[in-house]
Amino acid sequence: MESVLEFFKNLWNLLVQLSPSMLTTIEIFLLTLVLSLPLGLLVAVCRMSKWKPLSWLTRIYISIMRGTPLMLQLFVVCYGPYYMFEIPLTGEWPFIAAIIAFAINYAAYFAEIYRGGIESTPLGQYEAAQVLGYSKGQTFFRIVLPQVVKKILPATTNEVITLVKDTSLVYALAIVEMFTRAKMIAAAQTSMLPYLAAGIFYYAFNYLVAFLMERAEKKLGYYQIK
């Protein structure tokens, strides 16, 4: 019994030690979402543009972002300005570079999710809106976008959960987020317990994300009681 209590006491102490780094992980997660969701919508609109040069440039951007590792993109954004233009790197730059790399990477994935939702909207709704005197902007934001949000929530949930786990990649830029701190403590204590604490955090965080997204789906009428 004492050994069990000691185990949970040690686990709790580890969670307390990891808590400052957990805030860094959450900060990276939230900033990426705030930037990548609207950027993804803009990219999706450009991708569907009737102006071919813009459409093709956007396709190339999406192809590169989805076709190369996020780790590589982190290195390019962080160290590219120094190696290519000899711009000195400040102490805060790695964190800023991480947010930029995450935002442009996830914007590409969100753009394709948005595009699928927009293109699945029946053409008749556009025609009906035109008959009612709606402009293209009003049609998109008042009629199309609310339906798109409802359709894309399941796919968006998957990407958001992946983002939670991908935040651990910033260790490559010497940013001490939660998983990096767990590795440091594990190396110092020669114990697997810090990894268990990290796993609990990631699972709890993803469970919360999935719960909130499921509630949003219910609010939008995905599940109806007959």
Side-chain angles (χ1 to χ4, degrees):
M1 183 66 178
E2 290 183 3
S3 61
V4 174
L5 290 175
E6 186 68 21
F7 171 81
F8 283 107
K9 181 181 177 181
N10 291 336
L11 184 61
W12 174 255
N13 288 335
L14 281 170
L15 289 172
V16 172
Q17 291 180 57
L18 292 173
S19 58
S21 302
M22 290 178 184
L23 294 177
T24 302
T25 296
I26 293 171
E27 186 178 4
I28 294 170
F29 170 79
L30 292 176
L31 286 173
T32 300
L33 278 188
V34 168
L35 294 173
S36 62
L37 285 172
L39 180 59
L41 181 58
L42 177 62
V43 172
V45 172
C46 293
R47 168 71 174 78
M48 296 183 294
S49 173
K50 294 181 179 179
W51 189 45
K52 293 299 181 182
L54 179 60
S55 178
W56 277 105
L57 282 174
T58 310
R59 287 187 183 187
I60 293 170
Y61 159 73
I62 293 173
S63 178
I64 293 173
M65 290 297 105
R66 297 199 303 171
T68 57
L70 177 55
M71 180 77 77
L72 175 62
Q73 295 166 24
L74 285 166
F75 283 133
V76 169
V77 175
C78 185
Y79 301 115
Y82 175 77
Y83 288 119
M84 291 187 293
F85 308 109
E86 297 186 355
I87 299 175
L89 306 181
T90 63
E92 296 180 355
W93 173 246
F95 183 83
I96 297 171
I99 300 301
I100 294 172
F102 270 92
I104 61 177
N105 176 274
Y106 272 85
Y109 287 93
F110 287 136
E112 289 299 276
I113 294 173
Y114 282 126
R115 186 172 67 88
I118 293 170
E119 291 183 345
S120 66
T121 304
L123 183 61
Q125 297 197 24
Y126 292 93
E127 295 172 345
Q130 188 176 9
V131 170
L132 292 172
Y134 282 87
S135 65
K136 289 184 178 180
Q138 290 174 324
T139 301
F140 181 77
F141 287 105
R142 294 187 181 183
I143 298 176
V144 177
L145 188 58
Q147 298 178 64
V148 169
V149 170
K150 177 178 177 179
K151 292 174 184 177
I152 68 173
L153 268 178
T156 303
T157 300
N158 289 335
E159 289 300 322
V160 173
I161 288 174
T162 301
L163 171 59
V164 173
K165 295 177 286 187
D166 278 351
T167 55
S168 63
L169 294 176
V170 300
Y171 81 89
L173 304 184
I175 297 172
V176 183
E177 44 71 59
M178 197 274 305
F179 188 66
T180 304
R181 179 67 67 186
K183 288 197 300 180
M184 294 167 62
I185 296 173
Q189 298 181 356
T190 61
S191 169
M192 288 295 293
L193 198 57
Y195 292 120
L196 175 61
I200 290 172
F201 167 77
Y202 282 118
Y203 179 79
F205 197 177
N206 277 326
Y207 183 86
L208 177 62
V209 168
F211 173 77
L212 293 175
M213 297 298 275
E214 184 178 344
R215 289 295 299 270
E217 289 178 15
K218 289 181 179 180
K219 287 280 187 181
L220 292 172
Y222 265 94
Y223 307 104
Q224 296 181 354
I225 300 176
K226 295 183 180 181

